[in-house]
Amino acid sequence: MLDDFFVRALLAGIGVALVAGPLGCFVVWRRMAYFGDTMAHSALLGVAIAFLFDINLTFGVFAVATSASLGLVALSRNRSLPADALLGILAHSTLALGLVLIAFMTWIRIDLMSYLFGDILAVSRTDVMIIYGVGAVVLAILVAIWRPLLAGTISPEIAVAEGLATERARLVFMLLMAAVIAGAMKIVGVLLITSLLIIPAATARRFASTPERMAMIAAIVGALAASGGLFASLEFDTPSGPSIVVAALILFLASLTWRMVEPERLKAEEVTGTE
């Protein structure tokens, strides 16, 4: 089954989506979309460093994304600049540094488009196994830190008063984000990773009554977007990474429509006395 490139791509896309959905819920709850974008942009610098020092690509991206997130935490303690300004500086600087560094490495031919927008159809058996292996570890750790992370999201003061290690949970969450970004880069690319975190979570938010249910729905929505985007890419010969994001957008717009239609339907049933 894994001999078929499309099956491998489908499995890889679903695997990343199942992990990105629950993590994306915290990105939405904590209003960290720009933070996720910053970490994603730093991934290109990780690619450049991996090629420069001839190390594993995923490890290089993970190391740089982690360094960027920890550097942001350190810089944010300096109140001289607002957080959004720091995020903007870090995001665009790391992206530009990556591009410049790649330009200097004239002895290596690098397909920038595949790193910027993904090349999911090129994933190998090893990539699929890594995605599911890392994904299982990420989800297990997320379950372990769920309570302090959620408490710190809702009310940091109450969480601290209850003795929950919210700061440690936050740092672990950043490491999980870095791991997912490193794994998802080949799927949707540096410029589209954040959308795979945010859009399914934003869609799930409209249907979920509890945080846990939102995380599960976000994972399902992400998997549907990955599957639908890949089949659309195959049918219409469009880029696979952007097609997955467009599929996620369509699901989000459909959720908006459903939430607008549903109250009207219930109101009509009340008036007519039907169910």
Side-chain angles (χ1 to χ4, degrees):
M1 182 177 70
L2 291 179
D3 291 332
D4 189 331
F5 76 96
F6 187 79
V7 173
R8 292 197 301 270
L10 193 61
L11 290 173
I14 292 173
V16 169
L18 292 176
V19 181
L23 280 179
C25 292
F26 282 100
V27 173
V28 171
W29 293 332
R30 286 174 169 258
R31 299 180 181 179
M32 293 174 63
Y34 205 4
F35 174 80
D37 225 20
T38 301
M39 291 183 69
H41 284 184
S42 70
L44 192 62
L45 179 58
V47 171
I49 290 175
F51 276 111
L52 183 63
F53 293 103
D54 193 24
I55 59 176
N56 181 269
L57 192 65
T58 302
F59 176 77
V61 172
F62 175 76
V64 171
T66 301
S67 300
S69 62
L70 296 177
L72 182 63
V73 171
L75 289 171
S76 64
R77 292 172 181 169
N78 182 359
R79 302 293 182 179
S80 60
L81 276 177
D84 59 342
L86 286 172
L87 286 168
I89 292 170
L90 201 58
H92 301 300
S93 298
T94 51
L95 182 62
L97 280 170
L99 289 169
V100 169
L101 193 57
I102 288 172
F104 275 114
M105 291 188 287
T106 55
W107 62 92
I108 299 176
R109 291 184 62 86
I110 299 176
D111 182 11
L112 275 178
M113 292 298 288
S114 66
Y115 293 112
L116 292 174
F117 298 104
D119 190 12
I120 189 173
L121 297 178
V123 296
S124 63
R125 291 186 179 187
T126 304
D127 292 327
V128 174
M129 288 188 289
I130 290 174
I131 286 170
Y132 278 88
V134 172
V137 173
V138 168
L139 288 177
I141 296 174
L142 183 62
V143 170
I145 66 169
W146 182 272
R147 186 166 175 263
L149 190 61
L150 183 61
T153 301
I154 297 171
S155 177
E157 295 80 9
I158 294 177
V160 171
E162 291 181 355
L164 297 174
T166 56
E167 192 60 30
R168 184 174 62 186
R170 181 188 173 203
L171 290 175
V172 172
F173 174 71
M174 289 180 180
L175 293 176
L176 297 182
M177 284 272 290
V180 170
I181 286 170
M185 183 185 62
K186 199 167 186 176
I187 307 301
V188 291
V190 168
L191 299 181
L192 301 175
I193 290 173
T194 316
S195 60
L196 201 60
L197 288 164
I198 296 171
I199 300 177
T203 304
R205 192 174 192 174
R206 309 189 68 82
F207 301 99
S209 56
T210 65
E212 292 77 13
R213 184 170 295 179
M214 178 172 165
M216 288 189 290
I217 295 175
I220 294 170
V221 170
L224 289 174
S227 305
L230 278 171
F231 279 107
S233 174
L234 186 67
E235 177 69 24
F236 302 108
D237 193 24
T238 54
S240 52
S243 297
I244 291 173
V245 177
V246 170
L249 174 62
I250 290 172
L251 291 174
F252 174 72
L253 294 176
S255 74
L256 294 180
T257 305
W258 185 88
R259 293 295 288 178
M260 287 187 292
V261 170
E262 186 67 10
E264 293 298 325
R265 184 183 68 81
L266 293 174
K267 185 177 179 181
E269 289 177 355
E270 289 178 359
V271 172
T272 58
T274 59
E275 294 185 359

